[in-house]
Amino acid sequence: MSIMTKFEHGMERVLVPVANKLNSQRHIAAIRDAFILVFPLIMAGSIITLINFAVLSPDGFIAKILFLGKIFPNLADAQAIFSPVMQGSTNIMAILIVFLVARNLAIFFKQDDLLCGLTAIGAFFIVYTPYTVVDDVSYMTIKFLGAQGLFVAIIVAIITGEVFSRLARSPRLMIKMPEQVPPAVARSFKVLIPVIIITILFTVINYLITLVAPEGLNDLVYTVIQAPLKDMGTNVFSVIIIGLVSNLLWVLGIHGPNTVAAIRDTIFTEPNLDNLSYVAQHGSAWGAPYPA
């Protein structure tokens, strides 16, 4: 047996069991599948942003080649039609992720996935950054609705998914309605007590956190956890390591990108979306904060 064959067999004994456990671990699978489900919306936003600045902008690459600016003098006005697309994709990614991760966990436990996801959204906003009051008017920052709120979204979703699923399957906490009651109403009342408990839980958590960090959980988590991981994601060595691990798993017959997807997406999503937002604002990738 050659040295390479021995090495391959040794790596299979070590990495294959670990990779299989990662793929079957419910939290990692829930996060991975959530990012996969969000992908079409983010991709659609990216494509429309590309069209907006490459085709509809008179200074765009394609517009210059085809002389679209001369053919359509008011071409730039069409950009206003597609400019809000970011508000419905990357700028609300944390909301999408918190719903989908909690929903995926509820599906794993065979509980009401829709109501679990909705409860997670409510919990996310309970611990969201406090409103700013200016002249008796309350303003909510949108800073943590996008990529910067991903870690809190994942944490809230996991807690909600776990607690909701365990409480919802307890017969003592179920409110059973008569058969004459419409199914949607009966479905809502069935998990009413678990939803109330989770709401109270996150209210208490939010109160305790604001005693330590007045700016709220999002600011605390971003400063302590997400920002360092973001720096890791923009480091060339991290990219190389994740790439090597992914390709090594392929060699061993394991779907490498799928296995490391939860870790990879969590680290790289914010820099990628920051670049996309930069392009949407400036019409060019030149000078993007995280060049490839």
Side-chain angles (χ1 to χ4, degrees), residues 71 81 91 240 289:
I71 300 174
I81 299 174
N91 290 354
I240 292 173

Side-chain angles (χ1 to χ4, degrees), residues 124-132 139-141 143-144 206 214-220:
F124 176 76
F125 280 102
I126 289 175
V127 298
Y128 195 72
T129 303
Y131 285 27
T132 301
Y139 296 91
M140 184 185 76
T141 178
K143 178 181 179 182
F144 296 108
N206 181 65
E215 293 300 319
L217 180 62
N218 279 281
D219 189 74
L220 178 64

Side-chain angles (χ1 to χ4, degrees), residues 35-236:
F35 278 103
I36 292 173
L37 290 172
V38 168
F39 173 76
L41 186 60
I42 302 301
M43 179 58 71
S46 302
I47 292 174
I48 294 173
T49 300
L50 176 63
I51 294 173
N52 213 23
F53 289 100
V55 179
L56 299 181
S57 173
D59 298 326
F61 176 71
I62 296 178
K64 283 185 176 181
I65 293 177
L66 301 179
F67 302 102
L68 296 180
K70 295 181 179 179
I71 300 174
F72 305 101
N74 298 324
L75 182 65
D77 295 340
Q79 285 186 295
I81 299 174
F82 298 107
S83 294
V85 70
M86 298 291 290
Q87 300 174 15
S89 54
T90 59
N91 290 354
I92 59 167
M93 191 167 186
I95 301 176
L96 302 176
I97 291 298
V98 72
F99 173 82
L100 290 172
V101 172
R103 172 182 174 271
N104 290 340
L105 284 174
I107 291 175
F108 176 85
F109 287 108
K110 298 181 180 179
Q111 298 300 320
D112 195 319
D113 57 300
L114 178 59
L115 288 174
C116 182
L118 293 175
T119 304
I121 293 177
F124 176 76
F125 280 102
I126 289 175
V127 298
Y128 195 72
T129 303
Y131 285 27
T132 301
V133 180
V134 179
D135 296 331
D136 296 328
V137 178
S138 297
Y139 296 91
M140 184 185 76
T141 178
I142 62 172
K143 178 181 179 182
F144 296 108
L145 294 181
Q148 292 190 17
L150 281 178
F151 259 82
V152 171
I154 292 172
I155 293 170
V156 169
I158 289 175
I159 295 174
T160 303
E162 290 286 339
V163 176
F164 179 94
S165 298
R166 282 169 168 73
L167 295 178
R169 64 189 180 190
S170 173
R172 296 181 180 180
L173 299 179
M174 292 182 185
I175 299 178
K176 295 183 179 180
M177 304 297 290
E179 294 183 359
Q180 296 81 3
V181 175
V185 177
R187 179 183 180 184
S188 298
F189 271 89
K190 183 179 179 181
V191 295
L192 178 60
I193 295 178
V195 171
I196 292 174
I197 293 174
I198 291 172
T199 302
I200 295 173
L201 171 65
F202 277 97
T203 302
V204 173
I205 291 174
N206 181 65
Y207 173 74
L208 295 176
I209 288 174
T210 52
L211 295 178
V212 180
E215 293 300 319
L217 180 62
N218 279 281
D219 189 74
L220 178 64
V221 169
Y222 185 81
T223 303
V224 176
I225 301 177
Q226 189 165 344
L229 285 177
K230 176 183 176 181
D231 294 336
M232 183 187 300
T234 56
N235 185 299
V236 65

